[in-house]
Amino acid sequence: MTGTTEALGGSAAVDDAARSVARPFYVYAVLANSLFQRGVFVLFLQQRGFSAGQVALLQTLLYLVSGLAELPTGVIADRIGRRASIVIGQLVVAGCLLGQGTFTNYWVFLALFITQGVGMACVSGSDTALLYDLLVRRGATAGYVRIKSRFTMLGTVTSGVAIVVGGQLLRISWGVVYVGSAACLVLSVVVLMSRVPEIRGADAVDEQDGAEGHGDATAWRAMLRVATPALVTLVVVSGLMHATLTPYIIFTQKTLSDQGAGTALVSVVISAGFFVGGLTPLLSDRANRRVGYRVIVPVSLLTLAAALALSGLGLAWVTIAAFLLLVGIPEITAVLVDNVFNEAVPSRHRASLLSMIAFVESALIGIGYLVVGTLMDGLGSSAGMAAYAAVPLLACLLWLPVLFRGAQVTTGIEKPADQKTS
């Protein structure tokens, strides 16, 4: 009886520790995703006189530069601190948003999108590494999937609300939309600085057993230690999934517009899509326990292929229905895969290795934008979207050997203390 009581008390203490770590991240998620221009910025760029190809080039540069910057920014985050890297990145993005709301020249936009890509790279990898290692420090990593699903939900739902608010702010001016977004990013930085402790790679490694033997290893050597063929395949497949989902969400704006939907309807649909994509990650913990990421991955890819194919029919109501019904499923997969990546990489180099993974994803997203833009310019928006369904189908084929062979994804070289003793 005493042992049972102690176990329950220990579980409650772990839950309390997880909640104390998670609360400021939830507030940060809301502020960092209050980007009022997100749902209609393609229309904003079109009003600036930019073609679909030029918009695609801007997005391609954004993600390619972000991908290239992932590697140095990840190393810097492990050295100077994950929180410091996030703060720098969000302030850079805020400055770029202010510039986009001010200038009209395409070459200036190219420079702003390139700079924004660097800012995004500073945040990418660092936020997940900071959250995960703070949970490691408190012995609460068992709750990571649940916390990350809520973090994702809050961020995505906030994005949906911000799109609606942005549509209202647009009645004043585009400048107000972009200034409001930048202000929210600055407030997110304030929350981090006041509520979240700093943590570096050297700090984090002390929280993991068995890390001493690799204390002098570089991030590249650490990556070679954990890079099983199945993990490498998962990185590529996850990158292709994001390279499908991200352009699909963004260019659905143009597809619906070309299919006869008005700007107000497009804004509502994209906003609703963010709500759907925000609520479905709450199912991640249950999906992880009952199904697992191995099965969820191909389901998400086939879902994306179906959504793109249905968009190719040229009927606005079909495109809307497919978008709202199917866009949320890949968000569940993203949470589960993120957990696998965190379990696979050592703590000392966590930000660096997650940045390497994000580099692959960003590069594929950038290429995806370019391909989608080219297809839409050449075939039309509907047919171009349908043709792009080949990408998630290719990713599904790459994943099938891992699914059926049951290949090992993680090496298990490091496990958080609470998982070792469970």
Side-chain angles (χ1 to χ4, degrees), residues 303-329:
T303 295
L304 283 171
L308 287 164
L310 290 171
S311 299
L313 296 177
L315 302 173
W317 68 271
V318 174
T319 300
I320 292 171
F323 181 75
L324 295 180
L325 291 174
L326 303 178
V327 74
I329 296 176

Side-chain angles (χ1 to χ4, degrees), residues 317-394:
W317 68 271
V318 174
T319 300
I320 292 171
F323 181 75
L324 295 180
L325 291 174
L326 303 178
V327 74
I329 296 176
E331 299 289 354
I332 298 175
T333 306
V335 173
L336 301 188
V337 170
D338 179 74
N339 184 54
V340 174
F341 290 156
N342 273 286
E343 289 182 345
V345 301
S347 185
R348 174 181 288 274
H349 304 292
R350 190 179 307 283
S352 302
L353 299 187
L354 292 179
S355 289
M356 292 180 189
I357 293 170
F359 160 71
V360 176
E361 293 182 351
S362 296
L364 290 174
I365 290 172
I367 295 171
Y369 268 114
L370 192 60
V371 172
V372 173
T374 302
L375 288 173
M376 292 176 76
D377 279 344
L379 303 176
S381 58
S382 298
M385 291 282 265
Y388 197 64
V391 173
L393 291 177
L394 171 62

Side-chain angles (χ1 to χ4, degrees), residues 129 154 157 276 280 372:
L154 286 170
V157 169
V276 172
T280 50
V372 173

Side-chain angles (χ1 to χ4, degrees), residues 142-171:
Y144 177 76
V145 171
R146 183 175 67 255
I147 291 171
K148 183 60 188 292
S149 65
R150 292 174 180 173
F151 180 86
T152 303
M153 179 274 293
L154 286 170
T156 310
V157 169
T158 299
S159 294
V161 174
I163 290 170
V164 175
V165 175
Q168 299 303 311
L169 293 176
L170 183 57
R171 296 181 178 181

Side-chain angles (χ1 to χ4, degrees), residues 75 78 205 211 213-228 231-232 341 343-354 356-357 409-414:
V75 174
D78 280 330
V205 74
H214 302 293
D216 59 345
T218 65
W220 290 105
R221 291 176 181 175
M223 177 58 84
L224 291 176
R225 291 202 312 273
V226 302
T228 64
L231 179 61
V232 173
F341 290 156
E343 289 182 345
V345 301
S347 185
R348 174 181 288 274
H349 304 292
R350 190 179 307 283
S352 302
L353 299 187
L354 292 179
M356 292 180 189
I357 293 170
V409 173
T410 61
T411 61
I413 61 169
E414 288 189 300

